[in-house]
Amino acid sequence: VLLSGLILWFPRSFPQILREFCYLIHDVTFILFAMAIVWHIYLGTSAEPGTFRSMTRGTVTPKWARLHHPKWYREVTEKKTPPAHHAPAHHAPAHPHHQPPHGHG
């Protein structure tokens, strides 16, 4: 795209057949790029329910965590909490509403 754009910026420096080819390449590349942006937005919203919420709120539901990060979900949900009489009231056990680690589990 950069190369075709440069040729289109300086049209008198290149033969007509190359300019026409660059118009085609430049236009097709733009269309594919625009489609990729729409696809990316779709995947981050409608295609994967809960994904947009995770981006805007920084939390996920247990169902989403189990589906997308099963190892992390198991680690978080299998942690044993201290007995209730020893646990301070302000500490809650970790659960999938916390942010998952980077990468896939």
Side-chain angles (χ1 to χ4, degrees):
V1 173
L2 180 62
L3 184 58
S4 65
L6 287 174
I7 290 171
L8 297 176
W9 274 356
F10 305 104
R12 295 179 193 236
S13 302
F14 300 95
Q16 182 177 354
I17 188 77
L18 181 59
R19 290 191 317 259
E20 290 175 6
F21 179 72
C22 286
Y23 276 118
L24 176 66
I25 294 299
H26 209 72
D27 292 349
V28 169
T29 304
F30 168 76
I31 291 167
L32 291 174
F33 183 71
M35 289 171 54
I37 289 172
V38 171
W39 182 252
H40 184 78
I41 291 169
Y42 166 73
L43 288 177
T45 55
S46 299
E48 296 286 341
T51 302
F52 187 73
R53 177 180 178 230
S54 72
M55 289 186 281
T56 57
R57 296 186 183 169
T59 62
V60 299
T61 63
K63 181 180 176 183
W64 193 96
R66 187 173 55 250
L67 178 65
H68 295 281
H69 298 280
K71 182 180 175 186
W72 171 73
Y73 176 81
R74 283 190 308 273
E75 289 172 2
V76 170
T77 57
E78 291 174 0
K79 284 184 179 178
K80 295 185 179 183
T81 57
H85 64 278
H86 293 295
H90 63 280
H91 287 119
H95 55 81
H97 284 284
H98 294 196
Q99 183 133 17
H102 294 313
H104 293 280

